[in-house]
Amino acid sequence: MSRVLTLLVVEDGTEYTDAFRSLAATDPRFPIELVRAGDCEEARRVLSERSVDAVFLDVVFDRTPPERLVGDLESEIRRFGGDQRRAERHLAENQGFYLFNDVAQLLPEAVPVVLAYDFSAEPERLTALRKRRERLSGVPDGTPIFRVLEILSADI
Amino acid sequence: MIAAALTAVVLLAQTPALSEDCGSDADTLAREAETLLAEAGPRPSAATLDRARRLYRRARLLSPSAPFSLRAADLASAAGDEEESGDLLSEAAEGDPKLVSPAERLILARRGEARRQWRDAIAQYGHLRAALASDPGATAWIDGKIGRLEVEVEAQAISAPTIGQAPPEARLALADGRRALAVGDLPKARERLTLAWKLSPGYVEAALALAALETRESRAPEAIRAYRDALAADPNRLEALVGLANVLWDEPDRAAKEESLSLLDRAAAARPDAISLLKLAATRWAEWGDAAKALNRIDTFRRRAGAGEKRTTENFRETLARRVDAQLSGEAEPGGGPSPSEAPLEGASPAIDQWKIAQAYFRRGDPASLASALEHLGEAERLDPAFARAPELAGALHEKRGELALARAAYERAIAADPSRAATYERLALLLDRQPGREADAEEAWRRAEQAGSSEALFHLAETAGRGGRRGEALSLYRRYLAESPGGVHAEDVTRAIAALESSRRVSVLVLGLALLFVVLAAGAFAYRRVAGRTFEEWLREEPARAREARPIVGRLRHEVLKHGGLLLADAANRLSEPDPEARRAAARLLLSRLFGSRGREGRGGLIHQASDSFARLNALAEEDGHRLNLERKDRLFSPIAEGCRVLRGLEPALSRIAEDPEKVEGNDVRHVAEGLRRAAALFRSNTGAEVSRLLDEASSTRVRLSELQDVLLRVCAEKGVAPPPVLEPLGQLLRDSSGSIAVRVDRGDWDTIWRNLLANALDAAGAMPVSEVRLGVSAELLRDPVTGAPTARFILADNLPGALTAEMIRGRAADRGWGIVADLVRRHDGTADVGPAPAPGYGKGVVLELPALEPEGPP
């Protein structure tokens, strides 16, 4: 990687941000600038203000208040037979996918997106999602952070 | 007096020749002799002299006066019979010392020396010194003369040693005998030991072994004889002295006991280091009735003994002291014991005389005598280099003078001269024992002594083995000692040591047994922990319905532990290896926060807590079904996670230290932490969470086939008495093609229940409608969630039945019981139920079920 990578990390905690920052501080191969967003709204704001080179999306947002979760809650409630709690839980547990669905539209096609989800047992699912955005990748369980950065910084 | 008596005997024998003088008195006879001599003139003839000598013999027989003896001595000298003259002069001097002049005393002394009658010579020189007492300067030479003669007297009393080493046949017989003794074959032992002695008379080891055997067999006379043989061969052999003392002490007669006491004292004097001998001697002297001697010995013992032994002999000493007081107030003490018997002189080596003189000087012990002894021993070695006793005594002498190196060299010379002599090895070993840092050399010397047949060596080797923790060897050696030397000097100590070792061995066996039991129990517990309980897969196979509840738990485990852990650990390990201490501190803090962070923090806690919580929740679920899970040890998918967490837990103290002050933590400790992190990361990677999810899917999914749905319909019709049953028509390609299939994430039981209720409700809705007019069809298709991309199976049960059906009727709790069950089950499996349009012509409506599905095996 020849230049500083601007990476948007969207997560409800700071686990990934800390891990990226820790690696960036010690590995000269990955000069990165980290931008963190705690939810979809923050991510949208960041993307409206600046461009990023890559996006990393956490999947489970169970620490985020339901009202800040992205997704059509009413539709989900209907889908789950009026069960609002289930609908909220579904949104929280799959928030990364909803974020991808929402934020990806704001990103240039070349910007890679990594979703913190292990698609290794569901390759067709990844294939289906890539129809919406070709440069989407998952993270198999146990993948070290530098490997994630390698994926994100490819071709940059 | 003895000489006078012998002369009288001779005179009596000659009496018949003097028959003519019978009836005369002594003075008459003397006068007659003097008359004859006077008549013969100054040069009497031989016949006259002979006649006069006989007359004086007769007179001395009748009256053994000193003047008659002196005159008879003169006549004998005149007749040229110097031997008789000397005897008569000696007799005269003995009868009346004043009659003998100093010159005659000197003649008598010289005569005693020439005849090697040392005591007589000493007595004559003593008279001479008394006669010349008025001029002390003139008698100084006499003192030196007497001193040398006294050494000769002592040397004369010393037995000559047995010369040479035992022949191989004798040694072989001794070895055979000892082996037989060890295995308890006493007749054979006696036969072989006796043979050894016969093959080599003076073979002290054979005699000792035989004596030990006889003692063991309570054959006292035979034992005493064998011990005496041993002592004759080696008068200072400790085992013989003590062994014989012990056997004699058990004899009923007083003389035997007196000899026993004397032997014991000799043994104690010979081996000052064996203080138990002093105690034994004290006990026996006390038993004998000589409290003074007993007190002397017990006091000597206590001076050398330890605190414990002093305490145990305190009362004994007090008793003895009181008895001595009583004796001093009037009772006489018994006399000392007899002198030990000594072996007759032998003169096989030209060095023996020198050795004996040296021995006598050695016994005196003063520096001058020791120096003289060394001179004689040097001469003895020169005369006979093969005479081992000379350098051996030189070794003892050097030891006495504190010249340890010279002593060792002398013993080495003695061993070179006679490698078969056990006593020399013993002396060398004892010498080495006293020198710090020479323990190995001492042990080697004891081993050589043991090979040469020393029972004493067995004791010392046993002691060494005991100190070295070689208990088995020590026990064996002690037992051999008791077998070979039951009355030996160390018998009491050995008996105690054997008892202690056997007790220790019993304890060791007990401890070993307990340890073994512990190991077995631990192994059993370990095996139980590894083998007992069910794996996650086994549990789900038996309780597939639990997959639905287990799935979110596993999902959290994957997300929080495997994914976050995998992202964090390997890189944090690299960062901990950075030279910058602040980088290490930051990495440690991050790890502490992520791994062990406050459990209350945002309701999550650290990775370790997340893992433990997931495990606990899975275990609790299984327990509700009466199953015990063994995820930590037995489950191939979960045990690496548990092991990884264990590794991480162990790193917490070191991580805390690094976080606090990274520069105070050793590099090795940091490397250890980094290795632990990498190991945990590798464990988390070893089985991916995807595999766990696949297990869940397999356990909780149902592959949908039209024929099976048809079977459900047949069963429902049978239950409701609907005949002939209607046909379930496939609507759409997926269910027509038997090769294609859909797998829903609903376990078989719930899947059947859903369809039984759906179909039963449909039949109920048919009411009075003829069966032949009832149309039921089913379609299936695989969809993907538009947002998550997750596969979803949509099933539509279409019918042409009358009556309205709405989504609210299906989902609502107030709905018919069947619909309620369907709605509940579908909801539980994260699915939805709705009412929609008919998917094909000829049908009025359709009940739509959407349920999570598995990824298709082939192209969808």
Side-chain angles (χ1 to χ4, degrees):
Chain A
M1 200 169 80
S2 57
R3 65 178 176 84
V4 174
L5 172 75
T6 304
L7 173 62
L8 171 61
V9 180
V10 189
E11 61 173 331
D12 59 345
T14 60
E15 287 88 354
Y16 293 111
T17 310
D18 289 342
F20 283 124
R21 183 173 292 125
S22 171
L23 179 65
T26 56
D27 194 334
R29 292 177 302 162
F30 302 111
I32 54 172
E33 180 189 359
L34 283 170
V35 184
R36 178 188 171 277
D39 55 28
C40 186
E41 191 178 329
E42 279 187 40
R44 281 182 189 150
R45 190 171 65 241
V46 168
L47 292 175
S48 67
E49 292 171 356
R50 60 180 302 173
S51 63
V52 297
D53 297 317
V55 177
F56 182 88
L57 301 173
D58 194 3
V59 171
V60 180
F61 280 66
D62 54 0
R63 285 169 284 182
T64 302
E67 64 273 13
R68 297 183 68 85
L69 295 172
V70 68
D72 187 348
L73 181 61
E74 291 305 317
S75 168
E76 296 298 337
I77 291 173
R78 280 198 303 277
R79 176 184 173 190
F80 289 106
D83 189 337
Q84 182 174 343
R85 186 171 290 180
R86 277 189 63 203
E88 290 174 350
R89 196 183 75 203
H90 174 80
L91 283 181
E93 289 179 350
N94 295 278
Q95 185 64 194
F97 292 98
Y98 286 87
L99 279 167
F100 170 67
N101 194 46
D102 194 289
V103 172
Q105 299 169 21
L106 307 176
L107 293 170
E109 196 58 36
V111 174
V113 176
V114 169
L115 197 55
Y117 186 83
D118 185 355
F119 288 104
S120 55
E122 302 167 277
E124 292 83 359
R125 186 175 178 182
L126 180 60
T127 303
L129 291 172
R130 276 180 172 167
K131 285 178 182 167
R132 278 186 264 155
R133 184 171 202 86
E134 193 175 342
R135 298 201 63 186
L136 172 70
S137 303
V139 179
D141 292 347
T143 303
I145 198 75
F146 77 88
R147 176 67 192 132
V148 178
L149 272 177
E150 281 178 350
I151 297 168
L152 287 167
S153 60
D155 303 329
I156 292 178
Chain B
M1 286 298 291
I2 295 168
L6 285 171
T7 307
V9 170
V10 172
L11 290 173
L12 284 171
Q14 294 172 340
T15 301
L18 298 173
S19 56
E20 66 271 27
D21 300 319
C22 290
S24 302
D25 61 18
D27 290 332
T28 304
L29 292 169
R31 276 196 302 276
E32 187 179 342
E34 290 303 325
T35 302
L36 274 176
L37 290 169
E39 289 172 354
R43 293 184 184 276
S45 64
T48 303
L49 280 175
D50 185 57
R51 173 73 180 160
R53 288 174 70 193
R54 286 202 292 175
L55 287 168
Y56 264 106
R57 280 193 196 111
R58 177 70 180 153
R60 285 169 47 236
L61 186 63
L62 296 172
S63 174
S65 71
F68 287 170
S69 297
L70 191 63
R71 181 55 176 155
D74 181 52
L75 292 177
S77 178
D81 190 348
E82 293 300 334
E83 279 293 312
E84 186 171 318
S85 174
D87 290 341
L88 290 169
L89 186 60
S90 177
E91 189 181 317
E94 198 173 326
D96 186 356
K98 291 176 185 169
L99 285 179
V100 182
S101 69
E104 287 169 330
R105 284 291 179 192
L106 181 59
I107 290 169
L108 286 174
R110 287 288 187 189
R111 181 172 172 274
E113 278 188 81
R115 290 183 167 194
R116 300 176 66 82
Q117 292 171 342
W118 312 117
R119 291 181 190 280
D120 183 44
I122 290 170
Q124 300 303 339
Y125 279 120
H127 285 297
L128 182 59
R129 184 172 54 191
L132 301 176
S134 57
D135 185 3
T139 60
W141 66 273
I142 300 176
D143 293 337
K145 193 75 158 177
I146 289 174
R148 284 193 295 277
L149 289 173
E150 282 172 345
V151 170
E152 293 287 1
V153 171
E154 288 178 39
Q156 196 172 33
I158 294 170
S159 303
T162 306
I163 308 300
Q165 65 183 82
E169 298 81 6
R171 282 182 278 158
L172 199 61
L174 175 63
D176 284 349
R178 281 193 163 136
R179 274 194 294 275
L181 192 62
V183 299
D185 187 353
L186 302 186
K188 183 180 178 186
R190 181 175 292 108
E191 184 263 319
R192 302 306 295 170
L193 296 175
T194 306
L195 177 63
W197 177 255
K198 284 181 179 169
L199 287 170
S200 178
Y203 190 10
V204 66
E205 278 71 33
L208 281 172
L210 193 56
L213 169 63
E214 303 297 11
T215 304
R216 190 168 157 181
E217 288 283 272
S218 301
R219 290 153 52 104
E222 288 80 0
I224 290 170
R225 187 164 60 242
Y227 276 129
R228 288 198 192 286
D229 286 342
L231 270 183
D234 190 349
N236 293 319
R237 187 61 176 258
L238 191 73
E239 292 141 287
L241 288 169
V242 178
L244 182 57
N246 286 337
V247 179
L248 287 172
W249 186 254
D250 291 335
E251 290 296 288
D253 62 293
R254 186 175 177 83
K257 288 191 190 302
E258 284 178 342
E259 187 182 353
S260 168
L261 289 167
S262 170
L263 289 167
L264 208 51
D265 281 349
R266 275 177 63 190
R271 279 289 300 277
D273 60 300
I275 62 169
S276 60
L277 286 173
L278 288 167
K279 188 178 167 189
L280 181 64
T283 309
R284 289 192 176 161
W285 276 112
E287 201 175 323
W288 177 250
D290 192 334
K293 285 186 175 165
L295 183 63
N296 169 272
R297 281 144 187 82
I298 200 66
D299 280 344
T300 309
F301 168 78
R302 284 161 58 79
R303 279 197 296 276
R304 300 175 192 173
E309 288 168 314
K310 279 182 182 164
R311 271 196 304 277
T312 57
T313 53
E314 183 63 40
N315 291 339
F316 180 46
R317 199 225 169 252
E318 288 303 313
T319 306
L320 289 175
R322 281 197 297 275
R323 284 167 60 182
V324 170
D325 281 345
Q327 283 171 357
L328 287 175
S329 64
E331 292 178 25
E333 289 184 28
S339 297
S341 62
E342 302 263 341
L345 279 167
E346 290 182 24
S349 168
I352 284 179
D353 287 344
Q354 294 297 322
W355 174 79
K356 287 166 72 174
I357 293 171
Q359 184 83 280
Y361 275 122
F362 179 73
R363 287 182 183 178
R364 294 184 166 205
D366 60 279
S369 297
L370 293 181
S372 297
L374 269 183
E375 286 175 17
H376 285 279
L377 290 171
E379 179 63 12
E381 282 196 66
R382 190 188 63 76
L383 288 170
D384 185 0
F387 181 60
R389 292 298 185 89
E392 185 183 308
L393 182 59
L397 197 149
H398 283 304
E399 270 196 76
K400 201 164 188 172
R401 297 195 337 171
E403 299 159 349
L404 301 187
L406 290 174
R408 184 176 180 186
Y411 289 141
E412 298 287 3
R413 291 201 305 279
I415 289 168
D418 183 0
S420 68
R421 189 168 156 69
T424 318
Y425 293 116
E426 288 178 7
R427 285 185 173 280
L428 177 61
L430 285 168
L431 173 69
L432 293 169
D433 264 341
R434 292 200 298 274
Q435 297 180 42
R438 310 302 293 266
E439 293 82 3
D441 291 339
E443 186 174 355
E444 176 58 23
W446 282 121
R447 290 207 181 283
R448 290 162 72 189
E450 186 268 328
Q451 286 161 12
S454 163
S455 299
E456 179 78 3
L458 293 173
F459 173 75
H460 286 273
L461 287 171
E463 295 274 286
T464 304
R467 282 195 299 273
R470 308 190 303 270
R471 294 180 178 179
E473 184 186 345
L475 195 57
S476 166
L477 287 164
Y478 280 134
R479 284 179 174 149
R480 273 188 62 198
Y481 180 89
L482 271 195
E484 294 178 16
S485 190
V489 59
H490 305 292
E492 195 178 327
D493 293 337
V494 166
T495 305
R496 269 200 303 271
I498 287 174
L501 280 172
E502 286 179 337
S503 169
S504 169
R505 194 163 69 168
R506 281 193 293 274
V507 170
S508 297
V509 168
L510 184 64
V511 169
L512 193 65
L514 288 174
L516 197 62
L517 182 64
F518 176 77
V519 168
V520 168
L521 289 174
F526 179 75
Y528 177 77
R529 291 177 69 185
R530 285 199 77 84
V531 176
R534 291 167 197 271
T535 63
F536 184 73
E537 186 174 1
E538 289 167 344
W539 170 52
L540 286 183
R541 203 173 289 141
E542 289 192 36
E543 307 288 346
R546 286 294 187 182
R548 183 179 51 78
E549 293 159 279
R551 190 181 299 282
I553 301 172
V554 169
R556 177 166 289 279
L557 185 70
R558 288 183 63 182
H559 184 76
E560 298 293 342
V561 179
L562 300 184
K563 191 174 297 299
H564 285 177
L567 284 168
L568 176 68
L569 296 176
D571 295 310
N574 292 337
R575 189 136 195 244
L576 273 180
S577 308
E578 288 291 318
D580 178 10
E582 284 310 311
R584 297 201 297 274
R585 187 201 302 273
R589 286 180 173 171
L590 176 65
L591 282 163
L592 284 170
S593 165
R594 295 285 177 262
L595 299 178
F596 312 103
S598 163
R599 290 175 187 187
R601 187 179 64 86
E602 299 175 48
R604 285 189 172 208
L607 179 151
I608 303 293
H609 171 70
Q610 291 287 337
S612 300
D613 185 58
S614 299
F615 275 61
R617 290 169 65 190
L618 290 173
N619 282 325
L621 272 183
E623 280 176 12
E624 286 178 16
D625 302 324
H627 299 298
R628 177 180 166 272
L629 289 183
N630 189 346
L631 302 177
E632 290 84 355
R633 309 280 174 187
K634 185 178 177 182
D635 197 297
R636 70 181 175 86
L637 296 176
F638 285 84
S639 59
I641 302 172
E643 176 62 18
C645 290
R646 275 196 291 275
V647 171
L648 292 174
R649 270 192 213 100
L651 303 179
E652 186 175 10
L655 280 172
S656 297
R657 290 203 306 276
I658 297 170
E660 190 176 327
D661 189 346
E663 291 185 281
K664 279 190 179 174
V665 181
E666 296 283 334
N668 278 343
D669 291 345
V670 175
R671 277 192 289 278
H672 172 71
V673 172
E675 284 167 12
L677 292 171
R678 291 190 184 100
R679 176 164 153 67
L683 285 163
F684 290 161
R685 278 198 302 272
S686 63
N687 282 311
T688 65
E691 194 168 354
V692 181
S693 295
R694 181 188 58 76
L695 274 182
L696 282 167
D697 290 342
E698 284 179 1
S700 63
S701 62
T702 302
R703 193 155 293 282
V704 179
R705 291 187 176 84
L706 180 63
S707 60
E708 289 169 354
L709 294 177
Q710 184 69 50
D711 289 343
V712 175
L713 177 60
L714 290 175
R715 287 202 299 276
V716 173
C717 288
E719 287 168 10
K720 291 185 173 293
V722 177
V727 174
L728 191 59
E729 185 183 0
L731 306 173
Q733 186 61 36
L734 198 57
L735 286 175
R736 280 199 198 97
D737 184 356
S738 60
S739 63
S741 64
I742 293 177
V744 288
R745 276 186 183 165
V746 180
D747 61 89
R748 170 68 63 185
D750 284 356
W751 181 249
D752 281 355
T753 304
I754 289 169
W755 282 93
R756 279 168 61 87
N757 281 283
L758 283 176
L759 295 168
N761 285 346
L763 291 177
D764 289 344
M769 188 175 176
V771 175
S772 58
E773 296 178 14
V774 173
R775 292 192 65 186
L776 294 174
V778 62
S779 71
E781 61 179 323
L782 190 67
L783 308 171
R784 287 201 178 272
D785 184 287
V787 177
T788 66
T792 302
R794 175 184 287 168
F795 297 90
I796 301 175
L797 174 63
D799 64 56
N800 62 346
L801 301 172
L805 182 66
T806 64
E808 287 69 30
M809 291 170 69
I810 294 175
R811 296 169 186 162
R813 289 282 169 189
D816 290 349
R817 185 171 174 271
W819 289 120
I821 291 172
V822 170
D824 278 348
L825 288 175
V826 169
R827 188 182 301 118
R828 275 193 217 167
H829 290 282
D830 289 336
T832 61
D834 208 343
V835 178
Y843 293 91
K845 61 179 186 296
V847 178
V848 182
L849 302 179
E850 286 190 3
L851 289 158
L854 303 189
E855 288 289 351
E857 290 178 347

